[in-house]
Amino acid sequence: MSRFKREGQGGSLAGFKTEETEPTVPSGLLKAARKSGQLNLSGRGLKEVPKEVYRLNVDPPLEAQQNVSFAESDRWWEQTDLTKLLLSSNQLTQLSDDIRLLPALMTLDLHDNQMSSLPSALGELQELHELRLSHNQLSALPVEVYSLNKLCSMTLQQNRLESLPEELGQLENLTQLDLSNNLLKDLPSSLGRLTSLQKLTLSHNKLSALPDSVAQLKNLKLLDCSNNQLTDISASLSEMLALEQLYLRHNKLRALPKLPAPALKELYVGNNHIEKLEAEQLSCLKAISLLELRDNKIQTLPEQISTLSTLTRLDLTNNDLSTLPASISLLPDLKVLLLEGNPLRGIRRDLLKKGTNELLKYLRGRIKEEPDQAEEQQTAMTLPSQARVNVHNIKTLKLLDYSEKQAADVPEELFDAAADTTVTSVNFSKNQLTSIPPRLAEFVSSLSDINLGFNKLTCCSPDICKFLQLTNIDLRNNQLTDLPSEMKDLTKLRSVTLIYNRFKSFPQVLYDIVSLETVLLGNNQVNGVDPHRLMKLINLSTLDLSNNDLLNVPPELGLCSSLRCLSLEGNPFRAPRAAIVARGTDAVMEYLRGRIPT
């Protein structure tokens, strides 16, 4: 009867698009939802949630009212409670108190709507594990939300929150909390009670300080405080025993925080006002792998930088450095050293453009050899044919180096000299190699770093996939057009450098290597990238697609939340405009998210 009434309303205007009709959901969707417990109504232009959605598990379906006989698989009375309701990318301005009629909900997605408030009835959804509220107009949450004690993930980015109540500390099972892009000036001290938190995102707010209680977050792995107004970081953060990644970009820090956090692997403090690095601050960073200090005012680098034995990437771009300690070249794992935009004396500009290996080699040449090392190199192997074998490199640095020889193959005696040695790094760059030397297989169980850049490789042998310890591979300046699908077995691979090759598409296998953190594909002919597959690379922080053939940039690329550095310059696309690209990764990602169709 109610259906007949609804269809009969509207008089002579019936059938015209101007008529306001109550939103409905196709009965097939509702029927499927009763079976699966999941209902996806995202992107349907809804201005309100249809009543039948709230009453899905309360009212019998229309078929039952019409006395239709049921097949065995359609017994509506055996329906499943709705556990997942997706309402994102609509035009919702409010949620009815009837949401309480769905008490079994575990996931509620309301992101990308126009909601300025939420009903207190939300607090009755005591099974809720995940609450997505980003990209709305919320200035506060009903206090009842803070009683959802099973809540594990709450995303609130891009709202209008100016403060949060102390009740926040009641959400003790939260593992992920995103408060980025709001108007927060401070945080409640009860934040420290969220001891299950593993990821806390506070970027793009107006925070001038963090509460001391943050130090109590013993399980926190990632803390992002970028783009705030922080002038200092409390030393108490060193008590965060699990902290691995700390983002402090674009703040007002004048000194590197003293952070002996034992697990800290990545520290990003670019775009601050740091003028001086203290030896004491550096010596704390016992496990650091990536240190970003770009766009500061650092004038000198202390010798203690050479004690950071786990450092693999050091970014000092755009500082005021005039000299470098040569001892930096002794860092055993340093793969990337970025120095552009510094007034360095004594280092030619063209040397900086040749890359990290050349620079470190030059700096090592400035260090006077210790007498015992010099003797070892003179006496170890003296035959003329073997003068090209550096035993010191092999035995001490675990490095097999045969670079810049312009040779068509690698001499057998080099491999012979390394027999029974645990070699971890190989550098065969700047030769004329057309294939990967087969004897590399002798180091299959230990090799973690391979540099075959500047050769003549036209294909990458599937044998590369046997190196299961591989973390970095550099294949720049070759003639590659594809990578073998077997590379998906390289589950420890973190960095792939493929610049200046002949790739016409994004190598498909890279989408399957979840461990990847850095993919450098600049200066190829890549014409597209699949953002949905890229999103699965949850560790990917650096993606270089500069100087390729991209005619358009998919807006969904903006949803790749792990990306911290995205290079797109030098492509033929029209949008985003060059001015936006020039403003950097954050501006590009924000622009792309704003272009996602609703």
Side-chain angles (χ1 to χ4, degrees), residues 338-379:
L338 302 174
L339 292 164
E340 282 286 341
N342 281 283
L344 288 166
R345 295 195 300 269
I347 298 180
R348 301 188 317 275
R349 186 165 181 77
D350 65 314
L351 187 60
L352 293 179
K353 294 199 169 186
K354 285 184 178 177
T356 301
N357 284 339
E358 290 295 311
L359 186 56
L360 294 180
K361 184 178 176 183
Y362 167 78
L363 291 172
R364 277 194 287 269
R366 283 173 27 185
I367 299 175
K368 291 181 180 176
E369 284 190 331
E370 297 293 323
D372 59 330
Q373 289 184 7
E375 285 169 23
E376 180 188 338
Q377 289 182 13
Q378 287 170 11
T379 59

Side-chain angles (χ1 to χ4, degrees), residues 106-120:
M106 297 175 70
T107 298
L108 178 58
D109 187 352
L110 293 162
H111 89 264
D112 191 21
N113 278 287
Q114 298 166 22
M115 309 191 74
S116 56
S117 64
L118 293 168
S120 58

Side-chain angles (χ1 to χ4, degrees), residues 34-179:
R34 286 191 180 92
K35 287 183 182 178
S36 68
Q38 301 184 10
L39 180 57
N40 186 351
L41 297 176
S42 299
R44 288 180 168 264
L46 297 175
K47 294 185 177 178
E48 60 182 79
V49 181
K51 286 190 179 71
E52 57 262 41
V53 172
Y54 294 124
R55 304 188 63 82
L56 184 71
N57 296 144
V58 178
D59 295 341
L62 195 59
E63 308 95 279
Q65 297 170 31
Q66 294 174 343
N67 295 318
V68 177
S69 60
F70 291 92
E72 192 168 334
S73 61
D74 286 336
R75 293 175 174 174
W76 62 267
W77 54 88
E78 294 177 358
Q79 65 184 355
T80 302
D81 285 341
L82 196 66
T83 59
K84 189 172 188 176
L85 178 57
L86 308 182
L87 292 164
S88 64
S89 301
N90 282 294
Q91 298 167 38
L92 304 176
T93 57
Q94 61 182 2
L95 201 62
S96 163
D97 277 332
D98 285 345
I99 192 71
R100 62 164 60 96
L101 299 176
L102 297 170
L105 274 184
M106 297 175 70
T107 298
L108 178 58
D109 187 352
L110 293 162
H111 89 264
D112 191 21
N113 278 287
Q114 298 166 22
M115 309 191 74
S116 56
S117 64
L118 293 168
S120 58
L122 214 52
E124 297 180 38
L125 305 182
Q126 286 296 311
E127 297 301 315
L128 210 56
H129 282 59
E130 186 174 9
L131 182 56
R132 305 175 195 160
L133 298 168
S134 61
H135 294 264
N136 277 286
Q137 299 167 24
L138 300 169
S139 55
L141 298 181
V143 71
E144 290 81 3
V145 166
Y146 301 109
S147 69
L148 298 172
N149 55 25
K150 290 187 180 178
L151 204 58
C152 296
S153 172
M154 182 160 66
T155 51
L156 281 159
Q157 68 266 36
Q158 210 85 37
N159 276 286
R160 297 177 180 176
L161 300 173
E162 294 186 18
S163 62
L164 293 167
E166 289 293 335
E167 285 84 354
L168 176 68
Q170 296 171 15
L171 299 173
E172 294 184 359
N173 284 307
L174 269 188
T175 59
Q176 178 177 349
L177 177 60
D178 192 339
L179 294 164

Side-chain angles (χ1 to χ4, degrees), residues 288-452:
I288 201 74
S289 172
L290 189 156
L291 181 55
E292 184 202 76
L293 295 161
R294 64 175 299 141
D295 294 285
N296 278 286
K297 300 174 182 177
I298 300 167
Q299 297 176 8
T300 57
L301 209 53
E303 287 283 345
Q304 284 76 6
I305 194 82
S306 62
T307 65
L308 304 183
S309 59
T310 52
L311 195 63
T312 62
R313 182 182 178 93
L314 177 60
D315 189 349
L316 291 159
T317 306
N318 297 335
N319 275 283
D320 295 334
L321 294 170
S322 56
T323 60
L324 272 184
S327 59
I328 200 172
S329 64
L330 299 179
L331 287 169
D333 292 330
L334 190 63
K335 303 295 186 299
V336 179
L337 175 60
L338 302 174
L339 292 164
E340 282 286 341
N342 281 283
L344 288 166
R345 295 195 300 269
I347 298 180
R348 301 188 317 275
R349 186 165 181 77
D350 65 314
L351 187 60
L352 293 179
K353 294 199 169 186
K354 285 184 178 177
T356 301
N357 284 339
E358 290 295 311
L359 186 56
L360 294 180
K361 184 178 176 183
Y362 167 78
L363 291 172
R364 277 194 287 269
R366 283 173 27 185
I367 299 175
K368 291 181 180 176
E369 284 190 331
E370 297 293 323
D372 59 330
Q373 289 184 7
E375 285 169 23
E376 180 188 338
Q377 289 182 13
Q378 287 170 11
T379 59
M381 302 184 94
T382 53
L383 292 174
S385 65
Q386 295 174 325
R388 11 181 204 186
V389 176
N390 187 326
V391 175
H392 169 68
N393 275 354
I394 295 172
K395 302 295 184 189
T396 308
L397 301 178
K398 297 182 172 57
L399 167 67
L400 206 58
D401 188 355
Y402 193 74
S403 57
E404 294 190 76
K405 310 293 186 195
Q406 297 303 318
D409 49 41
V410 179
E412 296 294 318
E413 60 260 36
L414 184 72
F415 294 104
D416 295 340
D420 304 319
T421 302
T422 305
V423 173
T424 59
S425 298
V426 162
N427 184 1
F428 292 163
S429 63
K430 298 192 175 175
N431 282 294
Q432 303 284 321
L433 304 180
T434 56
S435 62
I436 297 173
R439 285 192 67 181
L440 263 190
E442 294 171 21
F443 314 109
V444 73
S445 61
S446 60
L447 209 52
S448 64
D449 195 299
I450 295 179
N451 186 349
L452 289 164

Side-chain angles (χ1 to χ4, degrees), residues 502-513:
R502 297 179 181 175
F503 290 94
K504 293 190 176 179
S505 60
F506 193 91
Q508 293 295 303
V509 69
L510 296 187
Y511 291 123
D512 298 324
I513 307 176

